[in-house]
Amino acid sequence: MDKAIAVDFGGTGIKIGVTQGDKILMKAPTLPTASFESPAAIIEAMCHTARHLLQEHPDATAIGLGMPGWTDFHRGVLYQLTNVPVWNHEVPVRDIMQKALNL
């Protein structure tokens, strides 16, 4: 079974880890959501954390994000995050993270 980077984006914290099936293999420290001033800063912090996890698990083949907001799943765009006031416009999260992480 393939490994994946999993992101659980919440209004107070962003949890990121490595999973394999229903097992959590590694967890990174939680990122405090309110400490970021823009969607770009949030995405960069998620990518930085994912890169660290990939150093320990280079065989991870995908990344999955659970993000609470208005999305276009097919385009990979997140329009607004319900509990994150700085995220109030369209951001192509999938494309940005695919390019940054090659996943």
Side-chain angles (χ1 to χ4, degrees):
M1 184 169 292
D2 290 342
K3 293 180 185 176
I5 304 295
V7 178
D8 177 6
F9 195 109
T12 58
I14 304 165
K15 299 174 197 82
I16 305 176
V18 179
T19 63
Q20 188 171 32
D22 61 354
K23 297 181 181 100
I24 298 172
L25 304 178
M26 185 175 185
K27 293 180 186 179
T30 300
L31 302 171
T33 306
S35 67
F36 299 102
E37 70 282 350
S38 69
I42 293 169
I43 292 170
E44 179 51 40
M46 291 189 302
C47 287
H48 177 78
T49 301
R51 284 186 202 100
H52 172 73
L53 294 171
L54 286 167
Q55 288 176 348
E56 298 293 322
H57 297 273
D59 53 340
T61 60
I63 184 165
L65 291 86
M67 301 180 81
W70 297 102
T71 63
D72 180 334
F73 175 79
H74 298 287
R75 291 181 46 226
V77 172
L78 181 63
Y79 297 100
Q80 180 181 13
L81 282 175
T82 313
N83 297 324
V84 183
V86 299
W87 200 306
N88 59 6
H89 60 279
E90 179 178 330
V91 178
V93 177
R94 181 189 62 206
D95 292 348
I96 293 168
M97 294 193 75
Q98 277 182 337
K99 183 176 180 181
L101 301 171
N102 199 30
L103 292 174

